[in-house]
Every structure is written in C-alpha cells, then in structure tokens.
Amino acid sequence: MARGRVTRLTACDVRFPTSLGAHGSDAMHTDPDYSTAYVTLETDAEDGLKGYGITFTLGKGTEVVVCAVNALAPHVLNKDLGDIVGDFRGFYRQLTSDSQLRWKHSSCLEAQTSFSCILLPNQIGPEKGVVHLATAAILNAVWDLWAKQEGKDPRTLSSCIDFRYISDVLTEEEACEILQKNQAGKKEREAQMLTQGYPAYTTSCAWLGYSDDRLKQLCTEALKGGWTRFKVKVGADMQDDVRRCGLIRDMIGPEKTLMMDANQRWDVPEAVEWMARLAEFKPLWIEEPTSPDDILGHAAISRALAPLGIGVATGEQCHNRVIFKQLLQARALQFLQIDSCRLGSVNENLSVLLMAKKFGIPVCPHAGGVGLCELVQHLIIFDFISVSASLENRMCEYVDHLHEHFKYPVLIQKACYLPPKDAGYSTEMKEESVKKYQYPDGDVWRKLLAAQGK
Amino acid sequence: MARGRVTRLTACDVRFPTSLGAHGSDAMHTDPDYSTAYVTLETDAEDGLKGYGITFTLGKGTEVVVCAVNALAPHVLNKDLGDIVGDFRGFYRQLTSDSQLRWKHSSCLEAQTSFSCILLPNQIGPEKGVVHLATAAILNAVWDLWAKQEGKDPRTLSSCIDFRYISDVLTEEEACEILQKNQAGKKEREAQMLTQGYPAYTTSCAWLGYSDDRLKQLCTEALKGGWTRFKVKVGADMQDDVRRCGLIRDMIGPEKTLMMDANQRWDVPEAVEWMARLAEFKPLWIEEPTSPDDILGHAAISRALAPLGIGVATGEQCHNRVIFKQLLQARALQFLQIDSCRLGSVNENLSVLLMAKKFGIPVCPHAGGVGLCELVQHLIIFDFISVSASLENRMCEYVDHLHEHFKYPVLIQKACYLPPKDAGYSTEMKEESVKKYQYPDGDVWRKLLAAQGK
C-alpha cells in the first residue's frame, strides 16, 4: 500500500542551454533552451523514497511554472500518499479544478513481468497553460513515488481518470471493457516488448537550424545505427524545405519512412498548398500544420491531404483531453501524439489512450525535450500491452539529447525503446545535473550570464 | 503621435475578499476572491501619463500571473511607445509568440463625438492560460496609455490584428470592408449611445451562494431600478435550480428576459437533460453549459436546445481567437461572450468582433469581476458603432461590484451603460485601493490572514 504523508515539495528551475547548438530548433521555436520545472516530493515514510516529476519548457518562463507549482503545493503538502492515490480521480480534479486557480473501477489488470512500466500493476509502484504544466509536474512526481512504493497489486487504473467532459465519447464502463478485453494476449505482448522493444523514430537528424552537411552526417550515422523512420522539420522556407526533404529522401531511399513537422507555422489554406508541394517526397504525415487549438482546421487539412496519401499528426501542444476528444470526433488527425508533460500526467494521458483506441487512431507519442522519452516510454508500452494491442502504424519519437542527466535513462536498441527495468517513472535527474544547470545560480548559467554581461 | 520610451513596468497582486459575502459564486467557483494582476506602465515622455492594465483572476494564483507579467516585461521595457503601436500586430505577435515562452490596413474610421471609447479614433486616446492573461494585462496598459496620449487621428485598427490562424474565415481585406461599410450611419449611432447608452443585463441578483430571501430582495431592487434582463446561476442542484428559476420568473413576469449560467458544470448529455427540465422558465440562453474548450460539444447542445427556443452562450473562458473562430464555424453558439481580460487585449477582441459580424452572431460581453465592466464597455460600444451596427439580441453584462475602486467607474443609467468620457481605457484604479488590497501586504489582507492565523 502507498505509504507516508507528504512533508516537502520543492520545485527547481533547471535549464539546458541547447539553443547554443540549434538543437531542437523548428519553424516556431528558433532558440529553445530545453528546460524543466523539476519537482521533488518527500514523505515521512521510513522507506526514504522520493518522487520526482518534471514538465517540459523552453527556457524563459520556467520560473512562472515553478511559481505555479508553489501555488498548487498546498493541495499536496501534509496529504497522505495513500489518500491521494486512493482517490486519484478526486485528487486530480482537486488540482485541476481549484475553485480559485482553475480560472486557469474496476480492477482490470493483473500480470507478472520483469520490467518496470509504471502503469503495469506488477511493479512497485483550470487543465491548460502554465497551471496545467505545473499540475503535470506535481502529478508526475506522485506517480513516480507511488510506482516506487507500490507492490504488484492490480490497480484500478480507470479510477484515476477524470471522465468529466469526455463522457459523451468514453464512459468508465467502456474504458474498463477495453482494458479487460486486452487481458488476452498480454503475456505475449510483454514478452515481445522485452525482446524487441517498442519501435521508435528519430528527429535528431533534421532540426531546422542544422546545416545540410550536418544533416547528411547525422543521417548517415542514423542509417548505420539501424534507424528506418526519420522526421524532418519544415515550414519556414519552401525552397529550403524542398532541398532538405529531397536530400533526406535520397539518402534514406524510397522504402524507409519520412515524416514532416511544421510546428504550427501555417494557416489552414497555406498548410494544404505547402504540403501539396512537398507531397513528392512521400511523407507519412505532416505534424502540427497549424494552431494546436484548431480542431476544425486540422479536419479540413486532413480531408485535403488524404488524396495525396499524407496523414495529419498533432497533439504535443494539445492542452487537455477535451481537445483530443474533439480531434478524434472530427476525424482531424490520423496519428495522435500524446505528451507526457503537457497533459495532466498519467491520469489524463490514460483517458486519451483509451479514446484513441475507441476511435481506432494510432498513438505515436511526442518525445525529446528534457526527459520526455524517459516518461513517455511508460505510456506507450502500456498502450501496446493493455490498450491498443497493436503496433500497426505506431512508433514513438526519439531524440538523442540530454539523457545523460537522468538517473534511469532510456535504452534504445535497434531503433526500439527497451522497457525500463527500474521502479518508478524514470523521472529522477542526477543531483549534479540539477545543481549545475539550475537557473540562474547553477555553474553553467552563472558563466553564460556573466559572458552576456548579465 | 504616441510618445515616450517605456521606462518602468510594475505588476501588483491586488485581491478583494469577495468570497466572504459569496459574491460571484457559481457552480464551479464557490469561493472567488475577485482579484487582478495590475500593471502600470511609465514612460520618459514629458506628459507624465501612465498606462494601467488589468487582467482578472479569482484570488489564488494571481502571483503566478504577476510572475508571467515580469517574464514578459523585457519585450516592453525600453521600447518606444510609437514603435509598439506603430507595428501593433508585430508587437502583439512578439508577446504571444515569444519563441521560448509560447511553449506556454487601411484607415477605416473617422468621426467626432464627445465621449471616449478607446477604439474610436476621435479620442485622445501567445495565447492561452497564465501567459495569455499576463499578455492581456500588459497590452491593456499599452492601450490605456496610447488612448490617453493619442489625438483624433484616424487609426488603422485592422493593422493591430494578428490574422494568423483565422485567415481561413477572415482576411484583413474583409475586416476593412466591414469597418468601411459601417461609416454610414455612424454619427447617428454615436448620438444614440450618448443619449440612451448600451443595453445591459444584471447578474447581481442571483449568485449561487445567495439565499432565496436575498435573491428576492435584490430582484425587487433591480426591478425598481429599471432592469429588464436578469441572469441566474444554475447547475449545482436541480431542485435548487427549479425553485430559484421559478422564483425569479414569477418576480420578473413573462415578458422580461431571463438568462441562465451553468459555469461549465455539465457534460454534454447532462447539459441537454438539465436544460430540458429548466425550459419551462423560458431562458433566452444557457451560458457555459460545458467545458469552454468543447466546440463540438457546444454545437451538439445548440442543436438539441434549438427546438426548445434556448440559445447557447459562451466565450468568457475561451482562451483565444482560434477557439472563437471554430465556435462560429461549428454554429456552436447563438450568443458570443467576449472577455476584455482573457483574450489578448483589444487587438484580439477586435478580430473576434469582426468574425462574429461575418457569421451574424450577436456579441454579448462577459463583465463583472474586477474592472471587466470598465474595460468591456469600450469594446461593445465600438462594436455597435463600427462593426455590428445593431442592438438586436445584444446586451452587455453588468455586475454591481468593486466599481468604487476605479478612478473612472462605469456609469449606468436606466439599465444601460453610458459611454465613458475620460481619455484612456478606464483601467486605472485608485491608489488607496491598490495599497489597501495588495496581497499579502495590504491592510485588508494583513488583518484577514492574521485572523486565519497565517
């Protein structure tokens, strides 16, 4: 059983100066410093375990998320972990529906495996914007701590989901039915994950700010490493896009998979025109063609691009389950991209995985950033084992950055995620990394800011 | 011309302990302390004018918005006001699309009147959540300052609008066309506003936390004061709703207008069932029946309630123009409720007024809170004079709270807003109010927090 009363919650502003190397650059985010509001939960339990949670940010403004975490802290402090996870739906709603702040059952699973997906029960262990990112960081820490403590009890996962505003497409009964149905074949899928891992694609080769030479070099290396699926950033300049996409398609050949990502650069008609031009390079999908809030816009783009064989992918900036619900209802996407740190932690991601299953849409998570790969591997492996039971049209993003700062970094083998084997949500960072990259007082930033005369 | 370089930007956390009297209580916000992140802009211009901007919050978390204002401050400090308003679209996009923070033309108007709507040129005068509220507070201060400085130059209002993500329904050319068309009859409408004012409705009588006796008393007073349109909060308890709605309908009689507001309490099917039960009290609209993000849900509710003669109203928590665009495209509302402090100030509200006009949907602004009436009167009077040119099915919310803290409070006469006559955006608060209600150090809060042993 979950143990301990939460005695301490701290939030750190940790930033990595990735903009110095144009890592992570795209058509809308030209100079990101990959950063995180890093939450640590401590309890008075004798086990001494801590929970670690992150949310992902791009540098500036991380202090605002830290401030929001502190504003939410009274909901968590002095609470019993058992009470929190015992009524996790209620606790989720308490965090997301704080009456002042919002102005911003059944046991289905039972198994035995030898890896540690926090969603699999065999292991120990106002819904948008800044406040929702802070909620994600806190809840991610709760899941990490819970997953480390809890034994192999089968858990009532659906009882963690807040069905408010989605009951018109998914009821708790339907959620349980999906989970129950997938008891069949579960052991085989677990074994498959252990031996082969979950298929991944790489975004590391073709950031918008990379030169053609660097792109070629990285692409060559990736091909040698066994990668078969590649994503390229597009949307800033048509001529550049044509040249870069051509270059990559030539290098990887006609059989391997190419995806394109516009990072919200276009209006609806522009997206359709631009992709008509890039269709010759046979992309599987165009990702974030326009505003992440524009459900009907994505639906229009989907309809226009379907005859060209191009799907629409989106989700990394969809701020809650209500937006995902509508994207599915409107047939606005053909690939759904959850994010482990933008939605309200595991609780809300579960509802999205289940809705995607109901609508028959494959989930291909967003990852990269700081720790997103570490977290999302838990969600997508769970999706395969317990929800979708399929790998068709499915893969998880992978970016080769910043894993060295994590205590339990992801393991990639033959372009696949190998299941994590340590207890918890893989969220814990190395102490020395947190210290060094803390903003603005860590060594790295003191030097950088001094060099900028700040 | 706009004068001065911005030399100082300060943000104050000002909170009014309205929860002590259940003012403002509804089905989702049971204990609001009406609050604001209050921004003051100073320049080095010799005129000594300052710009004041607010955004509206409900107590807790206001410090997070203040933190976000400070994060955005570098975009404003040391900028020339002339440069800011000279490329206001560019400046708007700079604030809302800060590459790190977002992760979170023609002259159409010319006139002469004797009141001061900041949008009318004859007078001296990113995009969601916390960061967007902070953007609103800052831009509201810019508009206030600009409106105070600027003479009667005709302004190119459409050049303030960021058409990104809405060009599929409204182009800049169409926006100008709408404004130009309404040059005809403008003088008459201005005169009409000066003599009769803009029609208002009252929400002051029937907050959810008020007793029946209080409700009756306030309703009696409002009827005496000439009010003919009333809004009642519903959604927490059906029996209460039936009793309270019956009570009000009896008091106001069959001819006067009754609106209902559920403040997002329901899921889609629940909203339809609940309103079928309350239809006997003949409400004009049901406001916020479900999640403000649920465009398709609002469309489904609209379709279901149309045969009962009940419209759907929403918008006060719609976080940007992209959501409004889709509400209009999906025919999801019959009354559109802009909010002066949630959208990105005047710039973004202009785009919503123009889209509503194009779709033929009446705008009935949200007001109340702290200062929302003061700000939104400028927008809705402008809407009548220059955009919609109609009062049909139109009215502006009014709540009789906290006006005494403003230097230029709204003026209500015979249940209508009289046009403001002082230069600026009516955003300036009285110095002594800011001092007294500042959180947590103002007198009022020091006493309250001490009484709570904090």
Side-chain angles (χ1 to χ4, degrees), chain B residues 371-407:
Chain B
L372 299 184
C373 301
E374 276 70 18
L375 276 70
V376 92
Q377 63 179 337
H378 291 266
L379 302 174
I380 197 61
I381 289 172
F382 170 78
D383 183 61
F384 172 63
I385 293 174
S386 300
V387 182
S388 75
S390 165
L391 291 180
E392 199 189 334
N393 270 326
R394 285 165 172 89
M395 52 188 152
C396 183
E397 185 167 22
Y398 176 72
V399 182
D400 188 14
H401 274 150
L402 305 173
H403 302 290
E404 66 275 21
H405 301 295
F406 284 81
K407 214 161 158 184

CSV table of all heavy atoms in Angstrom, one decimal, chain B residues 371-407:
chain,number,residue,atom,x,y,z
B,371,GLY,N,-13.2,45.3,-12.7
B,371,GLY,CA,-12.9,46.2,-13.9
B,371,GLY,C,-13.3,45.7,-15.2
B,371,GLY,O,-13.1,46.4,-16.2
B,372,LEU,N,-13.9,44.5,-15.3
B,372,LEU,CA,-14.3,44.0,-16.6
B,372,LEU,C,-15.4,44.9,-17.3
B,372,LEU,O,-15.4,45.1,-18.5
B,372,LEU,CB,-14.8,42.6,-16.5
B,372,LEU,CG,-13.8,41.5,-16.0
B,372,LEU,CD1,-14.4,40.1,-16.0
B,372,LEU,CD2,-12.5,41.5,-16.8
B,373,CYS,N,-16.3,45.4,-16.4
B,373,CYS,CA,-17.3,46.3,-17.0
B,373,CYS,C,-16.6,47.6,-17.5
B,373,CYS,O,-17.0,48.1,-18.6
B,373,CYS,CB,-18.3,46.7,-15.9
B,373,CYS,SG,-19.2,45.4,-15.2
B,374,GLU,N,-15.7,48.1,-16.7
B,374,GLU,CA,-15.0,49.3,-17.2
B,374,GLU,C,-14.3,49.1,-18.5
B,374,GLU,O,-14.4,50.0,-19.4
B,374,GLU,CB,-13.9,49.7,-16.1
B,374,GLU,CG,-14.5,50.5,-14.9
B,374,GLU,CD,-15.4,49.7,-14.0
B,374,GLU,OE1,-15.3,48.5,-14.0
B,374,GLU,OE2,-16.1,50.4,-13.2
B,375,LEU,N,-13.7,48.0,-18.7
B,375,LEU,CA,-13.0,47.8,-20.0
B,375,LEU,C,-13.9,47.4,-21.1
B,375,LEU,O,-13.8,48.0,-22.2
B,375,LEU,CB,-11.9,46.7,-19.8
B,375,LEU,CG,-10.6,47.1,-19.3
B,375,LEU,CD1,-10.6,47.4,-17.8
B,375,LEU,CD2,-9.5,46.0,-19.5
B,376,VAL,N,-14.8,46.5,-20.9
B,376,VAL,CA,-15.6,46.0,-22.0
B,376,VAL,C,-16.6,46.9,-22.6
B,376,VAL,O,-17.0,46.8,-23.7
B,376,VAL,CB,-16.2,44.6,-21.6
B,376,VAL,CG1,-17.6,44.8,-21.0
B,376,VAL,CG2,-16.2,43.6,-22.7
B,377,GLN,N,-17.0,48.0,-21.8
B,377,GLN,CA,-17.9,49.0,-22.4
B,377,GLN,C,-17.2,49.6,-23.6
B,377,GLN,O,-17.9,49.9,-24.6
B,377,GLN,CB,-18.2,50.0,-21.3
B,377,GLN,CG,-17.0,50.8,-20.9
B,377,GLN,CD,-17.3,51.9,-19.9
B,377,GLN,OE1,-18.4,52.4,-19.8
B,377,GLN,NE2,-16.3,52.3,-19.1
B,378,HIS,N,-15.9,49.8,-23.6
B,378,HIS,CA,-15.2,50.4,-24.8
B,378,HIS,C,-15.4,49.4,-26.0
B,378,HIS,O,-15.6,49.9,-27.1
B,378,HIS,CB,-13.7,50.5,-24.5
B,378,HIS,CG,-13.4,51.6,-23.5
B,378,HIS,ND1,-13.1,52.9,-23.8
B,378,HIS,CD2,-13.4,51.5,-22.1
B,378,HIS,CE1,-12.8,53.6,-22.7
B,378,HIS,NE2,-13.0,52.8,-21.7
B,379,LEU,N,-15.3,48.1,-25.8
B,379,LEU,CA,-15.3,47.2,-26.9
B,379,LEU,C,-16.7,47.1,-27.4
B,379,LEU,O,-16.9,47.1,-28.7
B,379,LEU,CB,-14.9,45.8,-26.4
B,379,LEU,CG,-13.4,45.8,-25.8
B,379,LEU,CD1,-13.1,44.4,-25.3
B,379,LEU,CD2,-12.4,46.1,-26.9
B,380,ILE,N,-17.7,47.1,-26.6
B,380,ILE,CA,-19.1,46.8,-27.1
B,380,ILE,C,-19.7,48.0,-27.7
B,380,ILE,O,-20.5,47.9,-28.7
B,380,ILE,CB,-20.0,46.1,-25.9
B,380,ILE,CG1,-21.2,45.5,-26.6
B,380,ILE,CG2,-20.4,47.2,-24.9
B,380,ILE,CD1,-20.9,44.4,-27.5
B,381,ILE,N,-19.4,49.2,-27.2
B,381,ILE,CA,-19.9,50.4,-27.8
B,381,ILE,C,-19.2,50.6,-29.2
B,381,ILE,O,-19.9,50.9,-30.2
B,381,ILE,CB,-19.6,51.6,-26.9
B,381,ILE,CG1,-20.6,51.5,-25.7
B,381,ILE,CG2,-19.9,52.9,-27.6
B,381,ILE,CD1,-20.3,52.6,-24.6
B,382,PHE,N,-17.9,50.2,-29.3
B,382,PHE,CA,-17.3,50.2,-30.6
B,382,PHE,C,-17.9,49.2,-31.5
B,382,PHE,O,-18.2,49.5,-32.7
B,382,PHE,CB,-15.8,49.9,-30.4
B,382,PHE,CG,-15.1,49.6,-31.7
B,382,PHE,CD1,-14.7,50.7,-32.5
B,382,PHE,CD2,-14.9,48.3,-32.1
B,382,PHE,CE1,-14.1,50.4,-33.7
B,382,PHE,CE2,-14.2,48.1,-33.3
B,382,PHE,CZ,-13.8,49.1,-34.1
B,383,ASP,N,-18.3,48.1,-31.0
B,383,ASP,CA,-18.9,47.0,-31.8
B,383,ASP,C,-20.2,47.6,-32.4
B,383,ASP,O,-20.5,47.4,-33.6
B,383,ASP,CB,-19.3,45.8,-30.9
B,383,ASP,CG,-19.9,44.7,-31.7
B,383,ASP,OD1,-19.2,44.2,-32.7
B,383,ASP,OD2,-21.0,44.3,-31.5
B,384,PHE,N,-21.0,48.3,-31.6
B,384,PHE,CA,-22.3,48.8,-32.1
B,384,PHE,C,-22.0,49.9,-33.2
B,384,PHE,O,-22.6,49.9,-34.2
B,384,PHE,CB,-23.1,49.4,-31.0
B,384,PHE,CG,-24.3,50.1,-31.4
B,384,PHE,CD1,-25.3,49.5,-32.1
B,384,PHE,CD2,-24.5,51.5,-31.2
B,384,PHE,CE1,-26.5,50.1,-32.6
B,384,PHE,CE2,-25.6,52.2,-31.6
B,384,PHE,CZ,-26.6,51.5,-32.3
B,385,ILE,N,-21.1,50.8,-32.8
B,385,ILE,CA,-20.9,51.9,-33.8
B,385,ILE,C,-20.2,51.5,-35.1
B,385,ILE,O,-20.6,51.9,-36.1
B,385,ILE,CB,-20.1,53.0,-33.0
B,385,ILE,CG1,-21.0,53.6,-31.9
B,385,ILE,CG2,-19.7,54.1,-34.0
B,385,ILE,CD1,-20.3,54.6,-31.0
B,386,SER,N,-19.2,50.6,-35.0
B,386,SER,CA,-18.4,50.4,-36.1
B,386,SER,C,-18.4,49.0,-36.7
B,386,SER,O,-17.9,48.8,-37.8
B,386,SER,CB,-16.9,50.7,-35.8
B,386,SER,OG,-16.8,52.1,-35.4
B,387,VAL,N,-19.0,48.0,-36.0
B,387,VAL,CA,-18.9,46.7,-36.5
B,387,VAL,C,-20.3,46.1,-36.8
B,387,VAL,O,-20.7,45.8,-37.9
B,387,VAL,CB,-18.1,45.7,-35.6
B,387,VAL,CG1,-18.0,44.3,-36.2
B,387,VAL,CG2,-16.7,46.3,-35.3
B,388,SER,N,-21.1,45.9,-35.7
B,388,SER,CA,-22.4,45.2,-35.9
B,388,SER,C,-23.5,46.2,-36.4
B,388,SER,O,-24.4,45.8,-37.1
B,388,SER,CB,-22.8,44.6,-34.5
B,388,SER,OG,-23.3,45.6,-33.7
B,389,ALA,N,-23.4,47.4,-35.9
B,389,ALA,CA,-24.4,48.4,-36.2
B,389,ALA,C,-25.8,48.0,-35.9
B,389,ALA,O,-26.8,48.4,-36.5
B,389,ALA,CB,-24.3,48.8,-37.7
B,390,SER,N,-25.9,47.1,-34.8
B,390,SER,CA,-27.2,46.6,-34.4
B,390,SER,C,-27.3,46.4,-32.9
B,390,SER,O,-26.3,46.1,-32.3
B,390,SER,CB,-27.5,45.3,-35.2
B,390,SER,OG,-28.6,44.6,-34.6
B,391,LEU,N,-28.5,46.5,-32.4
B,391,LEU,CA,-28.6,46.2,-30.9
B,391,LEU,C,-29.5,44.9,-30.8
B,391,LEU,O,-29.8,44.5,-29.7
B,391,LEU,CB,-29.3,47.3,-30.2
B,391,LEU,CG,-28.4,48.6,-29.9
B,391,LEU,CD1,-29.2,49.6,-29.2
B,391,LEU,CD2,-27.1,48.2,-29.2
B,392,GLU,N,-29.9,44.4,-31.9
B,392,GLU,CA,-30.8,43.2,-31.9
B,392,GLU,C,-30.1,42.0,-31.2
B,392,GLU,O,-29.0,41.6,-31.6
B,392,GLU,CB,-31.1,42.8,-33.3
B,392,GLU,CG,-32.4,41.9,-33.4
B,392,GLU,CD,-32.6,41.4,-34.8
B,392,GLU,OE1,-32.1,42.0,-35.8
B,392,GLU,OE2,-33.2,40.3,-34.9
B,393,ASN,N,-30.9,41.5,-30.2
B,393,ASN,CA,-30.4,40.4,-29.4
B,393,ASN,C,-29.0,40.7,-28.7
B,393,ASN,O,-28.3,39.7,-28.4
B,393,ASN,CB,-30.1,39.1,-30.3
B,393,ASN,CG,-31.4,38.3,-30.4
B,393,ASN,OD1,-32.1,38.2,-29.4
B,393,ASN,ND2,-31.6,37.7,-31.5
B,394,ARG,N,-28.7,41.9,-28.5
B,394,ARG,CA,-27.5,42.3,-27.9
B,394,ARG,C,-27.6,43.0,-26.6
B,394,ARG,O,-28.5,43.8,-26.4
B,394,ARG,CB,-26.7,43.2,-28.9
B,394,ARG,CG,-26.1,42.5,-30.0
B,394,ARG,CD,-25.7,43.4,-31.1
B,394,ARG,NE,-25.0,42.7,-32.2
B,394,ARG,CZ,-25.5,42.1,-33.2
B,394,ARG,NH1,-26.8,42.1,-33.4
B,394,ARG,NH2,-24.8,41.5,-34.1
B,395,MET,N,-26.7,42.7,-25.6
B,395,MET,CA,-26.7,43.4,-24.3
B,395,MET,C,-25.4,43.0,-23.7
B,395,MET,O,-24.7,42.0,-24.0
B,395,MET,CB,-27.9,42.9,-23.5
B,395,MET,CG,-28.0,41.4,-23.4
B,395,MET,SD,-29.5,41.0,-22.5
B,395,MET,CE,-29.8,39.3,-23.2
B,396,CYS,N,-25.0,43.9,-22.7
B,396,CYS,CA,-23.7,43.7,-22.1
B,396,CYS,C,-23.9,43.3,-20.6
B,396,CYS,O,-24.8,44.0,-20.0
B,396,CYS,CB,-22.9,44.9,-22.2
B,396,CYS,SG,-21.2,44.8,-21.5
B,397,GLU,N,-23.2,42.4,-20.1
B,397,GLU,CA,-23.4,42.0,-18.7
B,397,GLU,C,-23.0,43.2,-17.8
B,397,GLU,O,-22.1,44.0,-18.1
B,397,GLU,CB,-22.5,40.8,-18.4
B,397,GLU,CG,-22.7,40.3,-16.9
B,397,GLU,CD,-22.1,38.9,-16.7
B,397,GLU,OE1,-21.1,38.5,-17.5
B,397,GLU,OE2,-22.5,38.2,-15.8
B,398,TYR,N,-23.7,43.3,-16.7
B,398,TYR,CA,-23.3,44.3,-15.6
B,398,TYR,C,-23.4,43.6,-14.3
B,398,TYR,O,-24.4,42.9,-14.0
B,398,TYR,CB,-24.2,45.5,-15.7
B,398,TYR,CG,-23.9,46.5,-14.6
B,398,TYR,CD1,-22.7,47.2,-14.6
B,398,TYR,CD2,-24.7,46.6,-13.4
B,398,TYR,CE1,-22.4,48.1,-13.6
B,398,TYR,CE2,-24.4,47.5,-12.4
B,398,TYR,CZ,-23.2,48.2,-12.5
B,398,TYR,OH,-22.9,49.0,-11.5
B,399,VAL,N,-22.4,43.8,-13.4
B,399,VAL,CA,-22.4,43.4,-12.1
B,399,VAL,C,-22.0,44.5,-11.2
B,399,VAL,O,-21.1,45.3,-11.5
B,399,VAL,CB,-21.4,42.2,-11.9
B,399,VAL,CG1,-21.5,41.7,-10.4
B,399,VAL,CG2,-21.7,41.1,-12.8
B,400,ASP,N,-22.8,44.7,-10.2
B,400,ASP,CA,-22.6,45.9,-9.3
B,400,ASP,C,-21.6,45.7,-8.2
B,400,ASP,O,-22.0,45.6,-7.0
B,400,ASP,CB,-23.9,46.4,-8.7
B,400,ASP,CG,-23.8,47.7,-8.0
B,400,ASP,OD1,-22.8,48.4,-8.2
B,400,ASP,OD2,-24.8,48.0,-7.3
B,401,HIS,N,-20.3,45.5,-8.6
B,401,HIS,CA,-19.3,45.2,-7.6
B,401,HIS,C,-18.0,45.9,-7.9
B,401,HIS,O,-17.6,45.9,-9.0
B,401,HIS,CB,-19.0,43.7,-7.6
B,401,HIS,CG,-19.9,42.9,-6.7
B,401,HIS,ND1,-20.2,41.6,-7.0
B,401,HIS,CD2,-20.5,43.2,-5.6
B,401,HIS,CE1,-21.0,41.1,-6.1
B,401,HIS,NE2,-21.2,42.0,-5.2
B,402,LEU,N,-17.4,46.4,-6.9
B,402,LEU,CA,-16.0,46.9,-6.9
B,402,LEU,C,-15.7,48.1,-7.8
B,402,LEU,O,-14.6,48.4,-8.0
B,402,LEU,CB,-15.1,45.7,-7.3
B,402,LEU,CG,-15.2,44.4,-6.4
B,402,LEU,CD1,-14.4,43.3,-7.0
B,402,LEU,CD2,-14.8,44.7,-5.0
B,403,HIS,N,-16.8,48.7,-8.4
B,403,HIS,CA,-16.5,49.9,-9.2
B,403,HIS,C,-15.9,51.0,-8.4
B,403,HIS,O,-15.2,51.9,-9.0
B,403,HIS,CB,-17.8,50.3,-9.9
B,403,HIS,CG,-18.5,49.2,-10.7
B,403,HIS,ND1,-17.9,48.8,-11.9
B,403,HIS,CD2,-19.5,48.4,-10.5
B,403,HIS,CE1,-18.6,47.8,-12.3
B,403,HIS,NE2,-19.6,47.6,-11.5
B,404,GLU,N,-16.2,51.0,-7.1
B,404,GLU,CA,-15.7,52.1,-6.3
B,404,GLU,C,-14.1,52.2,-6.2
B,404,GLU,O,-13.6,53.2,-5.8
B,404,GLU,CB,-16.3,52.0,-4.9
B,404,GLU,CG,-15.8,50.8,-4.0
B,404,GLU,CD,-16.7,49.5,-4.3
B,404,GLU,OE1,-17.3,49.5,-5.4
B,404,GLU,OE2,-16.6,48.6,-3.4
B,405,HIS,N,-13.5,51.1,-6.7
B,405,HIS,CA,-12.0,51.1,-6.6
B,405,HIS,C,-11.4,51.7,-7.9
B,405,HIS,O,-10.2,51.9,-8.0
B,405,HIS,CB,-11.5,49.7,-6.4
B,405,HIS,CG,-12.0,49.1,-5.1
B,405,HIS,ND1,-11.6,49.6,-3.9
B,405,HIS,CD2,-12.8,48.1,-4.9
B,405,HIS,CE1,-12.3,48.8,-3.0
B,405,HIS,NE2,-13.0,47.9,-3.6
B,406,PHE,N,-12.2,52.1,-8.8
B,406,PHE,CA,-11.7,52.6,-10.1
B,406,PHE,C,-11.8,54.1,-10.2
B,406,PHE,O,-12.8,54.7,-9.7
B,406,PHE,CB,-12.4,51.9,-11.3
B,406,PHE,CG,-11.9,50.6,-11.5
B,406,PHE,CD1,-12.4,49.5,-10.7
B,406,PHE,CD2,-10.9,50.3,-12.4
B,406,PHE,CE1,-11.9,48.2,-10.9
B,406,PHE,CE2,-10.4,49.0,-12.6
B,406,PHE,CZ,-10.9,48.0,-11.8
B,407,LYS,N,-10.9,54.7,-10.8
B,407,LYS,CA,-10.8,56.2,-10.9
B,407,LYS,C,-11.9,56.6,-11.9
B,407,LYS,O,-12.5,57.7,-11.7
B,407,LYS,CB,-9.5,56.6,-11.4
B,407,LYS,CG,-9.0,57.9,-10.9
B,407,LYS,CD,-7.5,58.1,-11.0
B,407,LYS,CE,-7.2,59.6,-10.9
B,407,LYS,NZ,-5.8,59.8,-11.1
